[in-house]
Amino acid sequence: NMFLVSALVAGTLMVIVLPYNKVGFDEEAHFRSAYKMMLWSHVSSADAIEELTEVTMANWPFNLDQSIEERDMLEEYFAVHGDYTSGSNVAYDVPTKISSVAAPSYVFMAVGIKFAKLLHLPFGMVYMMGRLFNMWMYVILIYFAIKKVPVGKRIMAVVALMPTAMFQAAVYSYDSVVTGFIYLGLAYLLAEILDKEKKLTIKNGIIILGALSFGCLPKAVYVPLVALGFMIAKDKFKNNKERIIFRIANIVCIFGLLFTFVLPMLVATDAMGDTRGGAVSVSGQISTIVHHPLGYLSVWLENVGNSFTSYMFGEGLFGTLGHLSVSTCTPYIAILIVFVILADFTDAKIPTLSIKQKGIILGILLLTSAFVWGSMYLAFNEVAAVFIGGVQGRYFIPLMFLVYLLFH
């Protein structure tokens, strides 16, 4: 309840004060996907709105209003030039589409946008409402995750309330969807692992696999987390039939997510990755890794080592606020994290994770981290690069609850 109140108040205020243009990483692409999501055949747009779907001078990351007067002028601009209503002389219809396999992750933002448009709110409010629904969705998911998880409730609450995690929920981004659903799935999974008396119900089994899979859908690099479902002991199932069905469903989820990750590489004729990383080539990078595995391992270890502190409990993980200034509270984050791990205690009646279970979780976390670094090396870096660019600390937020729980 403390998390719910704190997150709703802080998160809603954060959304209200943010500018009406790009402040989050790749926010223009996420807004485009949410605004033009295929919930209807067409949506009403305008040139001023379309500018927010691309990196233009009007939507430049550092072109932010610096005063109340400038913000008022921006609101007035969007009210006139972003008038999407049927009686507008600047509005026109644009076709909707399914942008990628990550499209379902934008449904919350898309519903917020549509709700505001149904109320005929000015476009500034429409833009804000999409962000607001994203924030509220994140807070609700984490609330139920904290409520369900039997251990580490304070750890999860603190991680979810960190500046970067809240900021990503306050802008157009599917990072909050990833974190929210993964934490919800992990909460239900840990409850089943630690409660050896109650049998696994069909509902809880669906929530575990469904939440983890939905959370991993935008970023399949987290797919090893779905394999944690195999940690549920066989005596947790009511009968052998339910156990087999759950195991098969778990396998299907894993390979389905892997397919969404591998398919783009298979269908790409030139096997190109994200060209923002330079002259990239996925096939060329794979060939380099295969022929020089020790060289890649050396590059991987060096890059992980150089960023370990920042991505473990520092500025990169918890203090980065997109294109805005870094959070000023980051020097205290490491102290806070250590204090929470030491101070967070559980009821004596609830068993804690065994050494074996923590060992399995650690292995899954290391594999997932390797997937994160490896995917960026393949798709965002030139062949045989010695520096892995494109990796950001926010990518590890979905893992940090389990990481800190290992020290519990």
Side-chain angles (χ1 to χ4, degrees):
N1 292 337
M2 291 174 63
F3 168 83
L4 182 65
V5 173
S6 301
L8 280 180
V9 173
T12 301
L13 289 174
M14 186 180 292
V15 172
I16 291 173
V17 302
L18 285 178
Y20 295 140
N21 58 351
K22 172 186 170 75
V23 290
F25 293 124
D26 303 320
E27 191 171 8
E28 76 289 347
H30 294 299
F31 171 68
R32 180 171 65 247
S33 296
Y35 192 81
K36 300 180 181 180
M37 187 177 180
M38 192 175 284
L39 297 179
W40 297 267
S41 58
H42 290 79
V43 295
S44 179
S45 187
D47 287 339
I49 298 175
E50 292 299 303
E51 284 185 334
L52 296 177
T53 67
E54 304 291 341
V55 181
T56 62
M57 289 304 297
N59 195 33
W60 193 247
F62 303 107
N63 186 24
L64 308 178
D65 47 271
Q66 303 295 315
S67 65
I68 295 178
E69 290 76 17
E70 288 187 13
R71 184 181 176 90
D72 290 341
M73 291 174 61
L74 192 60
E75 287 184 1
E76 183 179 350
Y77 169 78
F78 279 124
V80 175
H81 299 281
D83 185 2
Y84 56 87
T85 59
S86 57
S88 169
N89 59 359
V90 297
Y92 53 86
D93 284 346
V94 294
T96 58
K97 61 180 180 178
I98 298 177
S99 56
S100 65
V101 294
S105 305
Y106 296 106
V107 66
F108 308 99
M109 291 171 271
V111 170
I113 291 171
K114 185 62 177 179
F115 177 73
K117 294 180 77 172
L118 288 175
L119 297 178
H120 299 291
L121 298 177
F123 177 73
M125 296 296 294
V126 173
Y127 193 76
M128 181 188 298
M129 194 64 72
R131 286 173 166 174
L132 203 57
F133 270 54
N134 194 36
M135 171 61 73
W136 289 345
M137 174 278 307
Y138 171 75
V139 172
I140 291 172
L141 287 174
I142 299 297
Y143 167 77
F144 283 108
I146 294 172
K147 187 176 181 180
K148 182 67 176 180
V149 70
V151 293
K153 291 180 182 290
R154 296 167 185 81
I155 295 175
M156 181 179 287
V158 168
V159 171
L161 277 171
M162 282 294 175
T164 298
M166 290 293 289
F167 176 81
Q168 290 302 119
V171 299
Y172 285 94
S173 170
Y174 52 47
D175 282 14
S176 54
V177 177
V178 173
T179 302
F181 275 96
I182 285 180
Y183 278 14
L184 183 66
L186 291 176
Y188 273 80
L189 176 63
L190 288 170
E192 295 298 334
I193 291 174
L194 295 177
D195 188 347
K196 296 178 170 54
E197 301 299 326
K198 293 182 180 179
K199 298 294 184 180
L200 176 67
T201 63
I202 295 177
K203 183 192 78 171
N204 287 355
I206 292 174
I207 291 176
I208 291 171
L209 295 182
L212 287 175
S213 298
F214 194 86
C216 295
L217 189 60
K219 294 183 178 179
V221 291
Y222 301 117
V223 67
L225 295 176
V226 184
L228 290 172
F230 288 98
M231 291 182 65
I232 300 177
K234 62 179 181 180
D235 56 3
K236 285 285 296 181
F237 298 92
K238 295 178 181 178
N239 51 59
N240 193 49
K241 179 181 177 181
E242 288 192 4
R243 180 176 66 86
I244 293 175
I245 292 175
F246 182 84
R247 300 299 191 212
I248 292 175
N250 204 337
I251 293 172
V252 170
C253 289
I254 292 173
F255 280 95
L257 290 167
L258 285 174
F259 185 70
T260 65
F261 180 68
V262 176
L263 180 61
M265 298 183 187
L266 296 178
V267 300
T269 56
D270 54 358
M272 293 293 292
D274 192 330
T275 54
R276 291 176 299 174
V280 296
S281 171
V282 174
S283 58
Q285 201 72 287
I286 292 176
S287 177
T288 300
I289 294 174
V290 170
H291 288 90
H292 305 281
L294 294 180
Y296 170 69
L297 179 61
S298 175
V299 170
W300 188 86
L301 290 173
E302 181 179 357
N303 281 265
V304 171
N306 290 339
S307 60
F308 181 79
T309 302
S310 179
Y311 291 176
M312 184 70 175
F313 41 65
E315 175 184 306
L317 178 66
F318 289 136
T320 303
L321 304 178
H323 297 293
L324 304 181
S325 300
V326 174
S327 174
T328 56
C329 70
T330 49
Y332 307 103
I333 287 178
I335 299 174
L336 175 61
I337 291 297
V338 173
F339 173 79
V340 171
I341 294 174
L342 295 176
D344 185 89
F345 57 90
T346 59
D347 192 308
K349 298 179 181 179
I350 300 176
T352 56
L353 291 168
S354 66
I355 298 299
K356 179 181 178 181
Q357 289 171 332
K358 288 185 177 182
I360 295 173
I361 292 175
L362 176 60
I364 292 295
L365 289 172
L366 291 174
L367 181 59
T368 307
S369 297
F371 272 37
V372 172
W373 286 94
S375 64
M376 296 307 295
Y377 191 66
L378 290 177
F380 199 82
N381 292 265
E382 295 183 359
V383 176
V386 296
F387 174 76
I388 305 179
V391 179
Q392 298 177 18
R394 61 190 173 96
Y395 298 160
F396 298 97
I397 293 177
L399 309 180
M400 296 319 294
F401 168 66
L402 286 181
V403 171
Y404 298 149
L405 198 63
L406 294 178
F407 300 98
H408 196 275

